[in-house]
Amino acid sequence: MKNFELFLSGSGIPIFYVKIGLGFVFSFLITFFSIPTIVKISRRKNLMDEPGIRSSHLRKIPNLGGIAIFYSIGICASIFAYELFDLYKFLFASLIILLYIGVMDDIVVMRAYKKLVAQILVSSLIVIGSDIRIRSLFGIFGVFELGYFVSVLFSIVTFIILINAFNLIDGIDGLAGGYSVICSAMFGISYYRLGEYNYPLVVLSVVIIGTVLAFLYYNLSNYRTNKVFMGDTGSMLLGFLLAFTSICFIDIFIDKKLADVPRYHLQSAPVVAVAILILPIVDTLNVIFVRLYNKKSPFDADKNHIHHKLLKLNLTHRRSTFYIILYYLMIVAVAYYLRHINVNLLLVVVVLLGFMGAYLPDLIYRLRNNQD
């Protein structure tokens, strides 16, 4: 790859834009041409997702689309954003472990504690081994710099929550994938605006966008023979990568006082990251609160997720996905517009708007029933 970069620099073509273009094209094509084979094998071996309590589909659908997502990201990111794997030695190992656990769970359904142990291992590898952690809360609740052990523990818990949160929102066609594209685009644009030092993260974001767009072509297909789900493999990989990119985003605004690292300042950086990932965060917290209020286990399956509430209003999967993403994009826009106000006040605004979105479908449903 470095020889290729030397060739491009000699020809006057900006290397970064070539990486962006090739990364997007190849990530899209690899996923696009991999999924039909995965679907064919899944049907032949009956490796399908069975309709259940939490399911929003009525027929058996192949659920190993996450393998194609990993395949594409693994190839394209290691070629076009290889700097990340040089800098963060345990990143690829973490992806491999998540792939194994995800495929096992999609095929034979693993026990929850086994998945949790694997997620703790993966999170520990990236946090401790690669030093990807939340070092400061920038004044949230009056807390600034975190001690090393508190930072490690808090970061591991954050990774685990986001990995599982993305798994939970993957309940209707297009939602987890569409939201991943939006999150990656917003983080990618932010990294691009923050300068060349962050370009490998821009390329990673573009690769994620390319592979997920190709997946969405099949996930949103009206033809049953083409339809595929990303399964736990895809949702855990995307949750992990978006947790990784969000923590990297927060870390950019901490002055490490290194000569070759640019200095940036944004007091509300953690809240902006929370705003971008607000849907899975709020959805997960909401269902846990509801289950505990009803004296049920937080791990019991139910239909209290935001997407289930919209389906209850007789909306299609596509319309539900569109409305959810549109609403939470509005929250990001509000957070960006108010990014220079007090960080605690901004957090309150973002969280309140997030929970309003979770309960707005309930309000609409009750108003409709009262009218009837």
Side-chain angles (χ1 to χ4, degrees):
M1 187 65 191
K2 289 181 180 178
N3 291 334
F4 181 60
E5 288 183 2
L6 288 172
F7 167 76
L8 287 177
S9 61
S11 65
I13 303 173
I15 297 168
F16 168 69
Y17 295 106
V18 173
K19 286 183 178 181
I20 288 288
L22 293 179
F24 178 83
V25 170
F26 280 105
S27 62
F28 183 91
L29 292 177
I30 289 171
T31 304
F32 187 83
F33 288 110
S34 298
I35 285 180
T37 302
I38 291 170
V39 169
K40 188 183 297 183
I41 294 171
S42 296
R43 291 189 177 280
R44 188 178 299 164
K45 301 294 183 180
N46 197 32
L47 304 174
M48 315 278 271
D49 185 51
E50 301 276 355
I53 296 174
R54 277 181 52 203
S55 302
S56 303
H57 60 287
L58 303 175
R59 298 186 179 94
K60 294 194 294 184
I61 303 291
N63 66 336
L64 293 176
I67 295 176
I69 292 173
F70 169 82
Y71 182 47
S72 178
I73 292 174
I75 291 173
C76 295
S78 59
I79 292 174
F80 301 111
Y82 65 86
E83 299 93 340
L84 292 176
F85 298 98
D86 286 341
L87 189 59
Y88 309 117
K89 302 297 183 184
F90 294 92
L91 178 56
F92 198 76
S94 299
L95 295 176
I96 292 289
I97 295 170
L98 283 175
L99 170 70
Y100 175 77
I101 297 302
V103 171
M104 286 287 289
D105 191 50
D106 286 332
I107 293 176
V108 298
V109 184
M110 294 180 65
R111 290 181 179 271
Y113 80 89
K114 290 184 178 179
K115 284 172 64 177
L116 180 60
V117 168
Q119 290 167 4
I120 292 172
L121 173 61
V122 165
S123 303
S124 300
L125 278 175
I126 199 71
V127 171
I128 300 171
S130 297
D131 203 33
I132 296 295
R133 55 192 174 88
I134 300 170
R135 304 166 199 273
S136 172
L137 292 186
F138 293 71
I140 295 176
F141 307 125
V143 179
F144 287 87
E145 187 174 350
L146 299 173
Y148 179 76
F149 291 106
V150 174
S151 171
V152 166
L153 183 61
F154 183 59
S155 301
I156 289 172
V157 171
T158 299
F159 266 104
I160 293 169
I161 289 173
L162 288 174
I163 289 169
N164 287 290
F166 262 86
N167 189 19
L168 290 176
I169 68 167
D170 184 29
I172 58 174
D173 295 344
L175 183 56
Y179 201 75
S180 299
V181 169
I182 297 298
C183 291
S184 296
M186 286 188 284
F187 279 126
I189 292 168
S190 299
Y191 288 131
Y192 178 76
R193 293 182 63 191
L194 291 168
E196 292 184 17
Y197 184 78
N198 305 297
Y199 279 1
L201 286 164
V202 180
V203 177
L204 175 63
S205 298
V206 169
V207 166
I208 294 172
I209 292 169
T211 188
V212 176
L213 284 176
F215 162 78
L216 287 172
Y217 173 83
Y218 295 100
N219 181 236
L220 295 172
S221 174
N222 291 321
Y223 298 100
R224 189 181 160 213
T225 53
N226 289 338
K227 200 170 191 65
V228 69
F229 295 154
M230 66 171 66
D232 281 8
T233 308
S235 61
M236 286 200 299
L237 281 170
L238 292 174
F240 172 80
L241 286 171
L242 289 168
F244 170 80
T245 51
S246 64
I247 292 176
C248 287
F249 172 79
I250 296 169
D251 200 48
I252 287 171
F253 297 97
I254 297 173
D255 187 358
K256 303 177 186 64
K257 297 177 182 176
L258 299 174
D260 57 339
V261 178
R263 290 170 173 80
Y264 306 100
H265 178 75
L266 181 63
Q267 189 72 22
S268 60
V271 182
V272 172
V274 167
I276 293 174
L277 298 172
I278 189 65
L279 169 60
I281 293 170
V282 163
D283 192 50
T284 302
L285 290 175
N286 179 55
V287 294
I288 290 174
F289 292 156
V290 170
R291 289 168 189 173
L292 291 175
Y293 179 79
N294 292 326
K295 298 180 181 179
K296 294 181 179 179
S297 167
F299 304 103
D300 286 348
D302 59 29
K303 290 198 172 185
N304 287 314
H305 293 281
I306 298 169
H307 53 269
H308 287 137
K309 296 177 181 181
L310 285 176
L311 293 179
K312 198 175 176 182
L313 295 173
N314 296 320
L315 295 174
T316 63
H317 281 220
R318 291 187 182 188
R319 280 183 178 271
S320 300
T321 293
F322 176 75
Y323 290 142
I324 291 171
I325 291 177
L326 188 65
Y327 181 84
Y328 286 98
L329 270 176
M330 180 271 294
I331 296 178
V332 177
V334 170
Y336 181 78
Y337 181 74
L338 299 176
R339 66 190 183 280
H340 295 303
I341 69 171
N342 178 272
V343 65
N344 288 288
L345 178 58
L346 182 59
L347 180 63
V348 170
V349 170
V350 166
V351 172
L352 282 178
L353 287 174
F355 277 98
M356 279 176 58
Y359 286 98
L360 192 58
D362 291 327
L363 177 62
I364 296 171
Y365 184 77
R366 288 178 183 177
L367 289 174
R368 280 188 181 180
N369 284 351
N370 290 337
Q371 288 177 354
D372 295 339

